[in-house]
Amino acid sequence: DLGQGSEAIRILGIRWLPNGAASLNVGKDGKIQADTKQDNDRKVAGEGHIDEGDESTGDDELRDEDDPKNEDEQGAAGAESRTEANEDQNIEEGLEAEEGDFVNLEVGFSYRAKTKKSGNGLVTKTKNAHLFMAFYLPGGIKFPVWVELRGMIVISSFVQSSIDAALAEYVAPKSLTLDLKDMMMGDDFKKDTSSRGVIVVRIKRGRDFKEGDSGMLGFGQGSSDAYVAVGWAKFGKPLWSTRVIIDDMKPVWEETTFILVGPEELNAGERLRVQLWDSDRISADDDLGQCEVSLDELMTNSRSKGKMWDRTDNFQALGNSDVMPGTLDWSVGYYAKTRIQPEQIQKQQVEPEINDLQELKDKVSEDAERKLREAARGDETHEELSQQKAQDLKVREDAMVIATPPLRQYPTGILAIQIHNITGVEFEKISKSQTTPDEGEDMEGGHDDLPSPYCTIMLNQQKIFQTRTKPKNAKPFFNAGTERLIRDWKTTEIIISVRDSRVHENDPLLGIIYLPLGKVLEQRCQVVESYPLAGGIGYGRARVSMVFRSVELQAPKEILGWDYGTLQITGPITSDDIAAELNGLRIKLRTSINRGKMYHSSGDGERWTGKHDRVVQLGVRKRYCSCLVFEFRKNSLGLDKTPAFGILWLKEIPDEEDVAVQVPIWRADKENLKRGEMNVVHDLGEQLGSLRVPLKFHRGVSAVHRKLASKSPNLHDVFEVLDTARDNLDVPAEAAKHLGDAESDTDSSDDGDEEPANVNDGKGGPLKQIKNYQMHSDELHRKHRGLMQWKGARTAEYLKTKAEHGKNHLMDSFQHSSREPDIETEV
């Protein structure tokens, strides 16, 4: 890590260089071409495929569309010609339109460290430019090295070579392009998202594909443990994958994902790749075929622009056009960001004299003509004027959109969040041995032990992004962030946690920031604020910016929910047509991580309730690829077979709504239960009646998820952050339930019947004080109090955590797994 400190570099001189080739084009061979005008579909920097005069938003609903065959053939032919044309223009479009002119400057600078006046501590050293390096010895032992930069010379050859390699990026003939307009205006936050839209992919089913695993010793029928991964063809890395369906040659997934489209994909002329894999426990997964479609076709074809395009594609071999056995049924659609809406123009106060879109266009046209009036040069005037109008229109639209609340009729959109910097980072003083800063010494830390902070971002209680670590830094600058699709901005929660990367400790929390988007974006789509860190072992204020832009997608509310949640059976399960052979049997309910029981009760009709009429709650993760299984059981002890079962797929249940669903009950045999809980199918043999089930899906983790935290480091961090938020932040009652644990009056096979005694009165003898400490130990330990105020105890806890995670990782290596991407980082 390289830190400048508080001593500025010194500018020795600035020289204005000729424009040279800055305004010329670069050919496909990389050489400078003559100044020839070429048509470019990208009049605005960062945009692509702008249709002139296209004000429509297309079909806004996520639905399937069947078109005549002749339109399919015409669309395929048009896409092929467009693809060939785009391949020849990729270089030119890479130099997309920039607003304003280029200015070439040669800048000379030097650096000299500040003379130390007092103190020789780490805080004093960080005022000068410095390097922090970490060498890793055999066994993963970290050996940190601090290098203070006294000047640009007299440094070890290793460090000098690293500096030379970095500075070479800014030495002629290479150059660094700076947007002077943004620099002079002082805005370092985004006014729009980099992503231009979203591709919606729905994977349905696979048929007749190659067997991944042959029969035993070559005899018998082969099978596959199939899953589908979605990503970009040139990028190669999978961005999402379905669940693995074990030992089934007719998999039915019915899963949906969202893939953001940004300038990198547009400039690269990417193709969307959908690939079928066979999951293996030990060896590498087998490639069973793939399908591709060009991004340009998805963005421009009438079958996929603003609507879902049902497709059935043959699998092809990776890297060539050879056809592989099997087909894939799937749907795909492209949804762009919404243009400015009439209600946004009416609400905005940026230019209050403008009342509708036509007035905005007229004003942009008038201003653009005035700007270019003195530069009229015959035929070039029209082209420059057209580009100037497009650029000015986008700037004014962005300013108006971000100054108004998000569109409620378009709840789905793209959120760009960026963590700029943290000021005043210091540790809470919990020990009398901790020193205070010397008089007159400029430092944010309360003592000479500086933190090494890094930040993580959680979206709807799932960790999605992590910054780099800034070693020994009391005022770190990150300027890092991510862009993600938000299913519903009104119910989305963002939590930023700041941790200290300490050696041989579990990265304690310096503090957290809780950002419910429904409240944060209540007045405008773009915010930039400084938020205090709360609930950890330190202090500080983090500067964070966010901008939200809706997309032209109006999806059903059932798919706008959270992935983690708790399913609650809100009343007795009843039936009017259940088979007589199932009367009196108990029902076992289970998800992929939890199970519960309901018992037959006497009365009018057939009904089942929880034990002692307690509410049954079941934890859910990966809700959109999970189901709730109902199994009828006879015996409470010993081997118990399932005579009948029912399946409810949770993708059909909306969040936070009381619903009653009819679940068909099927006679169980050797195969149909296994197929039913892995495949989304609606006919599983002989039906024995149905159940009426009242239920509610509560979004967010609860107590029933805690047993998973010991096996998942990421989920453990999520619980630690949520506990901190619940104990230290003043959150609304509606939001607080998403941060708390499940209610105590629940019934599941994982929970006992005893209720914890109330020992939180601070009174009583030693035994009661011990119980009180145990009850609040997590909160105390998070703040390095109680037992964890000593370094030895924290190191022991670190070693214990590492051992548990290592054991769980070893066990997971023998399980079937799909190709899910890791948490996004800066590197």
Side-chain angles (χ1 to χ4, degrees), residues 9-243:
I9 62 173
R10 304 177 185 184
I11 304 297
L12 301 180
I14 302 178
R15 184 171 61 152
W16 191 297
L17 300 179
N19 285 344
S23 60
L24 300 181
N25 294 324
V26 179
K28 197 171 183 179
D29 57 358
K31 297 181 180 179
I32 300 296
Q33 292 182 338
D35 188 9
T36 57
K37 297 291 182 181
Q38 299 183 11
D39 292 335
N40 194 321
D41 67 346
R42 212 165 300 175
K43 294 183 179 180
V44 182
E47 297 291 325
H49 300 288
I50 298 178
D51 298 329
E52 288 293 333
D54 185 9
E55 303 292 339
S56 65
T57 60
D59 191 336
D60 297 322
E61 295 190 8
L62 179 61
R63 66 172 190 268
D64 299 335
E65 186 77 12
D66 295 327
D67 288 344
K69 182 178 180 180
N70 59 342
E71 292 187 11
D72 292 350
E73 295 174 352
Q74 293 174 3
E80 183 178 357
S81 62
R82 284 192 300 273
T83 301
E84 294 176 355
N86 286 342
E87 289 178 355
D88 295 334
Q89 295 178 4
N90 279 342
I91 298 297
E92 289 81 355
E93 290 190 354
L95 297 174
E96 57 191 15
E98 297 283 354
E99 185 175 1
D101 297 323
F102 287 100
V103 177
N104 293 333
L105 303 176
E106 181 182 80
V107 182
F109 68 92
S110 67
Y111 174 81
R112 188 173 298 277
K114 186 177 182 179
T115 304
K116 298 180 182 178
K117 294 182 179 180
S118 63
N120 194 32
L122 188 59
V123 176
T124 304
K125 293 180 180 179
T126 58
K127 293 183 178 180
N128 292 326
H130 54 270
L131 295 171
F132 183 89
M133 300 179 293
F135 296 88
Y136 288 88
L137 305 179
I141 301 175
K142 184 178 179 180
F143 183 71
V145 176
W146 180 276
V147 180
E148 187 176 355
L149 191 61
R150 306 297 301 171
M152 290 311 229
I153 58 175
V154 193
I155 303 180
S156 68
S157 59
F158 174 79
V159 178
Q160 185 66 53
S161 63
S162 301
I163 296 177
D164 291 342
L167 294 181
E169 296 297 322
Y170 306 106
V171 177
K174 298 177 182 178
S175 63
L176 175 66
T177 302
L178 303 176
D179 191 332
L180 293 182
K181 179 180 177 182
D182 284 345
M183 292 176 63
M184 299 302 182
M185 299 263 315
D187 291 341
D188 60 344
F189 53 84
K190 290 184 176 182
K191 300 180 179 65
D192 192 8
T193 62
S194 299
S195 301
R196 226 190 125 226
V198 61
I199 292 177
V200 182
V201 181
R202 181 190 300 155
I203 303 298
K204 297 180 179 178
R205 61 183 61 84
R207 298 172 176 160
D208 304 324
F209 50 85
K210 177 183 176 183
E211 296 174 354
D213 303 314
S214 60
M216 184 68 65
L217 300 178
F219 299 98
Q221 185 177 3
S223 185
S224 293
D225 305 317
Y227 68 93
V228 176
V230 178
W232 299 113
K234 295 182 180 180
F235 182 50
K237 182 179 179 179
L239 303 177
W240 174 84
S241 66
T242 66
R243 67 188 181 278

Side-chain angles (χ1 to χ4, degrees), residues 639-704:
L639 184 61
D640 192 3
K641 295 183 179 180
T642 300
F645 71 95
I647 303 291
L648 173 64
W649 287 94
L650 302 181
K651 64 184 181 65
E652 302 169 359
I653 307 298
D655 282 10
E656 304 295 343
E657 288 189 16
D658 288 297
V659 296
V661 295
Q662 290 292 129
V663 179
I665 300 301
W666 311 95
R667 184 179 298 279
D669 59 32
K670 185 177 180 180
E671 297 294 335
N672 63 347
L673 174 57
K674 176 183 175 183
R675 176 165 175 77
E677 62 182 318
M678 290 188 178
N679 296 270
V680 185
V681 291
H682 303 289
D683 186 2
L684 293 169
E686 180 185 355
Q687 185 170 348
L688 301 179
S690 62
L691 299 178
R692 185 181 183 275
V693 185
L695 50 82
K696 187 175 184 178
F697 184 87
H698 297 280
R699 49 180 171 261
V701 298
S702 63
V704 294

